[in-house]
């Protein structure tokens, strides 16, 4: 049986102010995809609404726009995948071995309250599959409740984009909420690296999370280790 990965990307293209563009942080998808591709895994992309996933302009600049991200953007077939993402109602959780939530500030808007994404995540978790996220992707885990009503993240060691990193990235005035603080409110045992923007990933059982864009490769490698 081929191992199958479900990547989750955003449909949102701006902050509250339409003049402040945002979207998918490309390297977070591209680096993980490369790790899984080399292992021969089958990969599928889903978004809250299906269809187009716009790119975060900040992710297309140095130092985040590296070889792997450039290769993706310069490949028409790869870019076409981001125009034709599936919607949650097209996804059967039983078909996948792991789910991987990508980031970009856009996901803060459409990941947390997507009933479809919550269903897929809950079903995969309860089927014994791997749930993972990188950077702001952990916003997709904020409100996932299991069949017994408990929050998936309650009591779990995890990481994601830190408030300190929001401040350093000068977007703390743009973001709709403090994701790190919201995670802690839900009982998550949040942790982060001693230094901002360095690769840092946490494994707690079948939950794998990475802190920031630079953590995508490490996060994917930890997912692969569990698989």
């Amino acid at each position: 049986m081929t191992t199958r990965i479900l990547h989750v990307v955003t449909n949102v293209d701006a902050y509250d102010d339409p003049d402040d563009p945002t979207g998918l942080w490309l390297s977070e998808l591209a680096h993980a995809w490369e790790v899984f591709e080399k292992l021969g895994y089958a990969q599928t992309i889903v978004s809250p609404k299906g269809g187009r996933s716009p790119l975060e302009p900040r992710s297309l600049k140095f130092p985040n726009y590296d070889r792997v991200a450039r290769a993706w953007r310069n490949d028409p077939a790869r870019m076409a995948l981001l125009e034709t993402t599936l919607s949650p109602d097209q996804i059967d959780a039983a078909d996948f071995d792991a789910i991987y939530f990508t980031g970009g500030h856009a996901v803060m808007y459409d990941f947390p309250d997507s009933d479809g994404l919550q269903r897929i995540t809950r079903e995969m978790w309860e089927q014994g599959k791997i749930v993972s996220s990188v950077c702001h992707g952990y916003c997709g885990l904020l409100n996932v409740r299991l069949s017994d009503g408990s929050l998936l993240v309650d009591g779990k060691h995890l990481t994601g984009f830190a408030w300190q990193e929001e401040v350093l990235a000068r977007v703390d005035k743009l973001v709709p909420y403090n994701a790190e603080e919201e995670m802690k409110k839900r009982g998550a045992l949040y942790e982060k690296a001693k230094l901002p923007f360095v690769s840092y990933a946490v494994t707690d059982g079948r939950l794998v999370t990475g802190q920031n864009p630079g953590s995508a490769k490490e996060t994917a490698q930890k997912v692969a280790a569990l698989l």
Side-chain angles (χ1 to χ4, degrees):
M1 288 286 287
T2 303
T3 298
R4 299 191 64 188
I5 308 289
L6 182 64
H7 295 268
V8 190
V9 298
T10 186
N11 299 118
V12 172
D13 63 3
Y15 288 91
D16 293 317
D17 183 342
D19 291 331
D20 290 319
T22 182
L24 162 68
W25 200 277
L26 182 58
S27 65
E28 294 173 13
L29 172 66
H31 277 268
W33 191 281
E34 183 180 64
V35 169
F36 297 139
E37 187 172 55
K38 285 178 178 175
L39 292 167
Y41 297 171
Q43 303 184 72
T44 301
I45 305 178
V46 68
S47 62
K49 294 181 179 177
R52 179 173 178 264
S53 181
L55 298 183
E56 159 69 67
R58 290 181 178 87
S59 75
L60 306 179
K61 297 174 181 173
F62 179 84
N64 303 288
Y65 196 44
D66 59 6
R67 174 190 61 81
V68 179
R70 280 199 307 274
W72 182 292
R73 195 173 176 215
N74 291 330
D75 184 335
R78 291 273 161 96
M79 288 301 291
L81 295 176
L82 295 178
E83 295 291 332
T84 56
T85 68
L86 298 179
S87 60
D89 59 6
Q90 294 175 281
I91 298 296
D92 182 347
D95 291 341
F96 296 90
D97 300 287
I99 186 169
Y100 172 80
F101 285 85
T102 63
H105 288 91
V107 310
M108 300 181 78
Y109 295 92
D110 62 348
F111 278 13
D113 298 314
S114 166
D115 291 337
L117 294 182
Q118 289 180 26
R119 171 190 64 80
I120 295 166
T121 307
R122 177 178 63 253
E123 291 176 358
M124 288 184 66
W125 183 261
E126 293 180 346
Q127 289 166 10
K129 312 289 183 60
I130 295 164
V131 171
S132 65
S133 68
V134 70
C135 200
H136 289 90
Y138 73 149
C139 294
L141 308 178
L142 278 172
N143 300 324
V144 176
R145 288 191 181 274
L146 305 179
S147 296
D148 64 5
S150 65
L151 286 164
L152 189 156
V153 298
D154 188 14
K156 300 288 195 307
H157 291 273
L158 55 73
T159 189
F161 207 61
W163 184 250
Q164 177 194 20
E165 291 171 318
E166 303 280 25
V167 173
L168 291 170
R170 298 179 187 170
V171 289
D172 52 305
K173 302 290 193 295
L174 290 174
V175 294
Y177 52 87
N178 180 333
E180 176 186 332
E181 198 56 41
E182 290 299 321
M183 263 301 171
K184 292 173 180 174
K185 285 182 188 173
R186 287 158 175 76
L189 305 174
Y190 178 85
E191 38 186 277
K192 63 183 180 182
K194 289 185 172 66
L195 295 172
F197 300 115
V198 299
S199 181
Y200 186 73
V202 176
T203 302
D204 187 343
R206 291 180 287 109
L207 180 65
V208 183
T209 49
Q211 183 177 330
N212 47 41
S215 309
K217 182 177 181 180
E218 182 181 353
T219 303
Q221 288 170 335
K222 286 183 181 292
V223 169
L226 289 178
L227 290 167

